[in-house]
């Protein structure tokens, strides 16, 4: 078997699945390739990666996609911002706030809450810097807020908005044996599951049988 190239967008952490892959397929190297949210679907369509962990929704033309888990949506704010007094924030709380539009924003909504500073999206890392400067606030999946953590910033859960969904995607016409292996891993199948390829089971040795004792000769019957 050749190696396996797995793409993943910022914030997604495939470490657990990579560890299981290494345990089950130690002779098949798995290469991790970090990709942007915008380029992820096209990279897997072109075969530059075998599969990719990305956020839905995407254009699924020519692609399979298995939803894996849902991420909490949060708003990133300076630590001294008024909204930090609450445990969670609503859309109405942000109605008058200036908002930044992150490039990695794949949440399924028409536009973020509040007032957009600029319709043009900016890289999430740059948007975080602008939040720290007091320019505006930022709505992102929680994993991206953690990825770009800063001591002068914090975040709060945002209710009343869509949540992002992380999925595994690969080309419709190229479900290879290695892709099947990885699908089994992310779905929690055991190594010897009947669905998808599995590692061969060890054959049990037949139990040792005791040697047969020779039959005893029958005693002749006495005549009366």
């Amino acid at each position: 078997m050749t190696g396996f190239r797995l793409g993943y967008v910022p914030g997604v952490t495939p470490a657990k699945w990579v560890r299981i892959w290494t345990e089950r397929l130690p002779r098949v190297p798995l290469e991790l390739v970090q990709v942007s949210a915008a380029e992820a679907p096209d990279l897997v369509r072109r075969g530059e990666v075998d599969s990719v962990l990305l956020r839905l929704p995407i254009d699924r033309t020519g692609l399979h996609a298995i939803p894996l888990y849902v991420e909490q949506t949060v708003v990133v704010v300076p630590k001294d911002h008024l909204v930090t007094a609450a445990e969670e924030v609503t859309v109405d709380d942000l109605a008058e706030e200036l908002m930044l539009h992150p490039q990695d924003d794949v949440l399924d909504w028409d536009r973020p809450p509040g007032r957009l500073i600029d319709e043009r999206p900016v890289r999430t890392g740059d948007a975080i810097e602008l939040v720290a400067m007091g320019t505006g606030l930022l709505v992102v999946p929680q994993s991206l807020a953690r990825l770009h953590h800063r001591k002068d910033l914090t975040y709060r859960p945002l209710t009343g908005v869509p949540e992002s969904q992380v999925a595994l995607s690969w080309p419709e016409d190229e479900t290879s044996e290695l892709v099947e292996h990885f699908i089994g891993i992310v779905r929690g199948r055991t190594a010897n599951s009947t669905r998808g390829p599995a590692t061969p089971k060890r054959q049990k040795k037949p139990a040792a049988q005791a040697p047969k004792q020779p039959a005893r000769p029958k005693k002749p019957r006495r005549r009366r």
Side-chain angles (χ1 to χ4, degrees), residues 199-213:
T199 52
K201 294 182 180 180
R202 293 182 178 179
Q203 293 185 348
K204 293 182 179 180
K205 293 181 179 180
Q209 296 180 353
K212 292 183 179 180
Q213 297 293 330

Side-chain angles (χ1 to χ4, degrees), residues 9 19 36 44 53 65 71 74 97 99 103 125 136 161 173 182 206:
V9 298
R19 175 178 54 78
S36 71
V44 75
L53 294 164
E71 294 182 298
V74 302
E97 297 287 347
M99 306 299 296
Q103 194 175 49
V161 296
D173 55 350
F182 198 76

Side-chain angles (χ1 to χ4, degrees), residues 46-205:
R46 296 196 300 264
E48 295 184 33
V49 292
D50 296 296
S51 63
V52 64
L53 294 164
L54 42 65
R55 293 185 180 89
L56 300 177
I58 59 168
D59 176 8
R60 295 201 188 188
T61 304
L63 296 177
H64 287 296
I66 299 174
L68 301 177
Y69 60 90
V70 174
E71 294 182 298
Q72 172 72 56
T73 301
V74 302
V75 56
V76 181
V77 300
K79 279 195 170 180
D80 57 356
H81 196 280
L82 290 175
V83 303
T84 59
E87 291 296 322
E88 61 182 23
V89 182
T90 67
V91 173
D92 291 340
D93 295 329
L94 304 179
E96 299 302 320
E97 297 287 347
L98 294 176
M99 306 299 296
L100 296 156
H101 188 183
Q103 194 175 49
D104 291 324
D105 178 10
V106 292
L107 297 173
D108 191 12
W109 54 18
D110 295 331
R111 58 183 293 119
R115 297 176 294 157
L116 278 180
I117 295 174
D118 194 333
E119 292 287 345
R120 294 172 299 178
V122 296
R123 289 173 48 218
T124 302
D126 295 336
I128 291 288
E129 295 287 340
L130 293 171
V131 175
M133 293 167 57
T135 304
L137 308 184
L138 180 66
V139 175
V140 290
Q142 184 173 327
S143 63
L144 283 177
R146 288 176 173 172
L147 178 66
H148 296 282
H149 171 73
R150 288 176 54 121
K151 292 182 179 179
D152 53 348
L153 299 180
T154 187
Y155 60 85
R156 290 290 185 271
L158 182 59
T159 63
V161 296
E163 295 175 311
S164 64
Q165 194 168 43
V166 173
L168 176 69
S169 182
W170 71 97
E172 278 185 344
D173 55 350
E174 294 183 24
T175 306
S176 67
E177 184 179 356
L178 293 181
V179 170
E180 286 283 6
H181 270 294
F182 198 76
I183 292 170
I185 289 171
V186 298
R187 282 185 161 173
R189 298 176 195 161
T190 62
N192 293 319
S193 169
T194 55
R195 298 180 63 188
T199 52
K201 294 182 180 180
R202 293 182 178 179
Q203 293 185 348
K204 293 182 179 180
K205 293 181 179 180

